[in-house]
Amino acid sequence: LPLDRYLSLLAHDLRSAFHGIMAFSEVLDTEFDDMDEAAIRKIARYLNHASHSTYSLLENLLEWSMLQTGSMAYKPRWLALSRLLEDISNSVILNARHKDIDLQFSHPPGLSIHGDPNMLRSLIQNLLSNAIKFTPRGGVVQLQCQPDGPQKLALRIIDSGVGMTEEQLANLFSRGGGQSSRGTDGEHGTGLGLSLCQQFVARHGGRIWAESTLGQGSTIHIELSLPEPGPQ
C-alpha cells in the first residue's frame, strides 16, 4: 500500500477504536444506576479488550516510526529465553484467557537467545497476539523454540485458527497486507504488527515465513543465527 493510504487506514482504525471506547464509557457514566450487573460486566470486558488492542496498535505505530527514522537502536545481547517468554506471556495471557485459548510454550531448559531484547519481545508478542486473534474460542496457540544446528535457533508459532488463503500468505508480511481481515471475535487490525515482525527478523539477519491451510490453522517459522561461541 502507498504510505498515505496506509496512514489513512491506521487513522481510521484508531478513530473507530476510540469511538467505541467513548460510546461505552458514556453509557456507563449516564446509565450506570439503571444497569444490571451482567450489562456492566459486558461493557467492562469490552472496554478492557478495546483499550488493550488500541494500546497495542499505538505501540506498533511508534516502533514502526522509529524504524523508519532510524531512531530505534539495535543492541543485541544474550538473553535467557524463559525470562523473555515470561514477560511476553504477561502481556498476551489476558487476550488468550478472554477467548479460552490454551497458550503453550515449549523450549529446552536453560536455552538462551541472542538479539535486541526490545525487538525480540515485540516480535514474539506480535506473532502470538496475531495467532490468538485468528484462533476461535477454545483453540490452541503454541510457541516452540529449539536449537537448529550449532549456531541457529528455530522458533515456531502454531495456531489452530482459521488459516489463510494463498493470496493472504503471499502478502502476509507486507505493510498493510492483512488490513482487511478481522479476528474470530471481530478484532480489527491493519497488518502493521506483521510488517514490523519482518523488519525485526531482518535486522537480526534471520528468516521468517509462514505455512497455512485454510480452516486448519497456521504456523509461523523464524530462523535466527547465534554468534559463536554461544552459551549452553
Side-chain angles (χ1 to χ4, degrees):
L1 287 176
L3 180 58
D4 58 347
R5 172 61 176 156
Y6 188 59
L7 292 176
S8 176
L9 289 169
L10 284 171
H12 177 270
D13 277 0
L14 286 171
R15 281 198 302 267
S16 297
F18 277 108
H19 282 161
I21 292 171
M22 290 186 295
F24 279 103
S25 297
E26 183 176 357
V27 170
L28 281 179
D29 184 40
T30 60
E31 302 179 23
F32 184 87
D33 292 336
D34 299 322
M35 298 172 66
D36 59 29
E37 183 177 345
I40 293 172
R41 286 186 179 276
K42 184 176 181 180
I43 292 178
R45 282 195 297 268
Y46 170 83
L47 291 174
N48 181 57
H49 182 71
S51 58
H52 277 86
S53 297
T54 306
Y55 181 73
S56 178
L57 176 59
L58 288 172
E59 275 193 319
N60 284 337
L61 181 58
L62 175 61
E63 291 174 346
W64 177 74
S65 64
M66 292 173 67
L67 278 176
Q68 305 312 305
T69 58
S71 57
M72 179 177 280
Y74 174 63
K75 298 179 179 179
R77 60 183 177 87
W78 284 103
L79 306 162
L81 183 63
S82 58
R83 185 172 299 175
L84 179 65
L85 294 183
E86 181 179 354
D87 290 342
I88 293 168
S89 176
N90 292 333
S91 299
V92 301
I93 192 66
L94 286 178
N95 283 345
R97 287 176 178 170
H98 176 74
K99 298 179 71 173
D100 297 319
I101 289 173
D102 185 12
L103 189 61
Q104 303 175 357
F105 291 167
S106 173
H107 58 86
L111 188 64
S112 294
I113 188 170
H114 187 267
D116 182 279
N118 294 323
M119 292 185 184
L120 289 174
R121 185 178 297 108
S122 182
L123 165 67
I124 298 173
Q125 183 173 317
N126 267 300
L127 292 174
L128 286 173
S129 296
N130 199 65
I132 292 168
K133 173 182 173 182
F134 290 107
T135 297
R137 290 179 176 273
V140 179
V141 171
Q142 303 175 61
L143 185 146
Q144 300 176 353
C145 186
Q146 60 186 27
D148 184 19
Q151 289 180 255
K152 290 187 184 297
L153 194 65
L155 293 91
R156 288 185 295 273
I157 291 87
I158 306 166
D159 66 63
S160 61
V162 297
M164 290 177 277
T165 65
E166 290 185 7
E167 181 180 1
Q168 287 173 319
L169 270 175
N171 295 302
L172 186 61
F173 298 108
S174 62
R175 189 175 62 200
Q179 62 87 18
S180 62
S181 299
R182 291 193 178 190
T184 56
D185 266 14
E187 303 99 322
H188 292 273
T190 60
L192 177 60
L194 291 177
S195 175
L196 276 171
C197 289
Q198 194 278 333
Q199 295 181 66
F200 286 150
V201 171
R203 191 66 186 85
H204 284 77
R207 294 195 304 140
I208 183 169
W209 70 98
E211 297 175 338
S212 184
T213 301
L214 194 62
Q216 298 183 28
S218 304
T219 300
I220 305 295
H221 299 267
I222 302 170
E223 183 182 85
L224 297 175
S225 297
L226 300 177
E228 182 67 31
Q232 302 295 318

Short mmCIF file of all heavy atoms in Angstrom, two decimals, residues 29 35 45 48 64 146 153 157 164 167 173 222 226 231:
data_model
loop_
_atom_site.label_atom_id
_atom_site.label_comp_id
_atom_site.label_asym_id
_atom_site.label_seq_id
_atom_site.Cartn_x
_atom_site.Cartn_y
_atom_site.Cartn_z
N ASP A 29 -21.33 6.09 32.26
CA ASP A 29 -21.41 7.34 33.01
C ASP A 29 -22.85 7.81 33.20
O ASP A 29 -23.21 8.32 34.26
CB ASP A 29 -20.60 8.41 32.29
CG ASP A 29 -20.55 9.72 33.06
OD1 ASP A 29 -20.43 9.68 34.30
OD2 ASP A 29 -20.65 10.79 32.42
N MET A 35 -28.47 0.05 35.16
CA MET A 35 -27.96 -1.16 34.52
C MET A 35 -27.81 -2.28 35.53
O MET A 35 -27.48 -2.05 36.70
CB MET A 35 -26.60 -0.87 33.86
CG MET A 35 -26.66 0.19 32.76
SD MET A 35 -25.01 0.67 32.18
CE MET A 35 -24.47 -0.87 31.44
N ARG A 45 -15.77 -5.68 30.07
CA ARG A 45 -14.94 -6.58 29.28
C ARG A 45 -14.60 -5.94 27.93
O ARG A 45 -13.47 -6.04 27.45
CB ARG A 45 -15.64 -7.92 29.08
CG ARG A 45 -15.57 -8.84 30.29
CD ARG A 45 -15.95 -10.26 29.93
NE ARG A 45 -17.33 -10.35 29.48
CZ ARG A 45 -18.36 -10.60 30.29
NH1 ARG A 45 -18.15 -10.76 31.58
NH2 ARG A 45 -19.58 -10.68 29.80
N ASN A 48 -12.01 -3.14 28.42
CA ASN A 48 -10.69 -3.71 28.71
C ASN A 48 -10.03 -4.24 27.44
O ASN A 48 -8.86 -3.95 27.16
CB ASN A 48 -10.82 -4.83 29.74
CG ASN A 48 -9.49 -5.44 30.11
OD1 ASN A 48 -8.58 -4.75 30.55
ND2 ASN A 48 -9.38 -6.74 29.93
N TRP A 64 7.20 1.30 14.52
CA TRP A 64 7.36 1.41 13.08
C TRP A 64 7.96 2.76 12.70
O TRP A 64 8.87 2.84 11.87
CB TRP A 64 5.98 1.24 12.41
CG TRP A 64 6.00 1.41 10.93
CD1 TRP A 64 6.49 0.54 9.99
CD2 TRP A 64 5.52 2.55 10.20
NE1 TRP A 64 6.33 1.06 8.73
CE2 TRP A 64 5.75 2.29 8.83
CE3 TRP A 64 4.93 3.75 10.58
CZ2 TRP A 64 5.39 3.20 7.83
CZ3 TRP A 64 4.58 4.66 9.59
CH2 TRP A 64 4.81 4.37 8.24
N GLN A 146 13.70 -24.22 19.68
CA GLN A 146 14.74 -25.22 19.89
C GLN A 146 15.94 -24.91 19.00
O GLN A 146 15.80 -24.26 17.95
CB GLN A 146 14.21 -26.61 19.57
CG GLN A 146 13.73 -26.79 18.14
CD GLN A 146 13.09 -28.15 17.93
OE1 GLN A 146 12.57 -28.75 18.86
NE2 GLN A 146 13.14 -28.65 16.71
N LEU A 153 18.78 -20.95 15.75
CA LEU A 153 17.67 -21.15 16.66
C LEU A 153 16.38 -21.10 15.86
O LEU A 153 16.18 -20.18 15.05
CB LEU A 153 17.66 -20.06 17.74
CG LEU A 153 16.78 -20.29 18.96
CD1 LEU A 153 17.27 -21.49 19.76
CD2 LEU A 153 16.78 -19.04 19.85
N ILE A 157 5.47 -20.50 15.83
CA ILE A 157 4.21 -20.13 16.46
C ILE A 157 3.12 -20.86 15.69
O ILE A 157 2.91 -20.61 14.50
CB ILE A 157 3.97 -18.61 16.45
CG1 ILE A 157 4.95 -17.90 17.39
CG2 ILE A 157 2.54 -18.28 16.90
CD1 ILE A 157 6.26 -17.55 16.80
N MET A 164 -5.15 -19.40 6.29
CA MET A 164 -5.03 -18.34 5.29
C MET A 164 -5.12 -18.90 3.88
O MET A 164 -4.77 -20.05 3.63
CB MET A 164 -3.70 -17.59 5.46
CG MET A 164 -3.60 -16.74 6.69
SD MET A 164 -1.97 -15.96 6.85
CE MET A 164 -1.02 -17.30 7.59
N GLU A 167 -3.28 -16.18 -1.35
CA GLU A 167 -3.08 -14.74 -1.53
C GLU A 167 -2.72 -14.07 -0.21
O GLU A 167 -1.83 -13.21 -0.16
CB GLU A 167 -4.35 -14.10 -2.10
CG GLU A 167 -4.20 -12.60 -2.36
CD GLU A 167 -5.47 -11.98 -2.93
OE1 GLU A 167 -6.46 -12.70 -3.12
OE2 GLU A 167 -5.46 -10.75 -3.17
N PHE A 173 3.45 -10.43 5.21
CA PHE A 173 4.38 -9.55 5.90
C PHE A 173 4.57 -8.21 5.19
O PHE A 173 5.44 -7.44 5.57
CB PHE A 173 5.74 -10.25 6.05
CG PHE A 173 5.66 -11.49 6.89
CD1 PHE A 173 5.76 -12.75 6.31
CD2 PHE A 173 5.44 -11.42 8.25
CE1 PHE A 173 5.67 -13.90 7.07
CE2 PHE A 173 5.35 -12.56 9.03
CZ PHE A 173 5.47 -13.81 8.44
N ILE A 222 10.45 -18.93 12.29
CA ILE A 222 11.52 -17.94 12.41
C ILE A 222 12.83 -18.67 12.59
O ILE A 222 12.94 -19.60 13.40
CB ILE A 222 11.31 -16.99 13.60
CG1 ILE A 222 9.96 -16.27 13.50
CG2 ILE A 222 12.44 -15.98 13.69
CD1 ILE A 222 9.59 -15.52 14.74
N LEU A 226 22.89 -17.57 15.72
CA LEU A 226 23.51 -17.31 17.00
C LEU A 226 25.01 -17.12 16.82
O LEU A 226 25.64 -17.86 16.06
CB LEU A 226 23.26 -18.47 17.97
CG LEU A 226 21.81 -18.81 18.28
CD1 LEU A 226 21.75 -20.04 19.20
CD2 LEU A 226 21.09 -17.63 18.90
N PRO A 231 26.25 -19.61 24.71
CA PRO A 231 26.13 -20.31 25.99
C PRO A 231 25.33 -21.59 25.86
O PRO A 231 24.41 -21.67 25.05
CB PRO A 231 25.39 -19.29 26.87
CG PRO A 231 24.64 -18.44 25.90
CD PRO A 231 25.48 -18.38 24.66
#
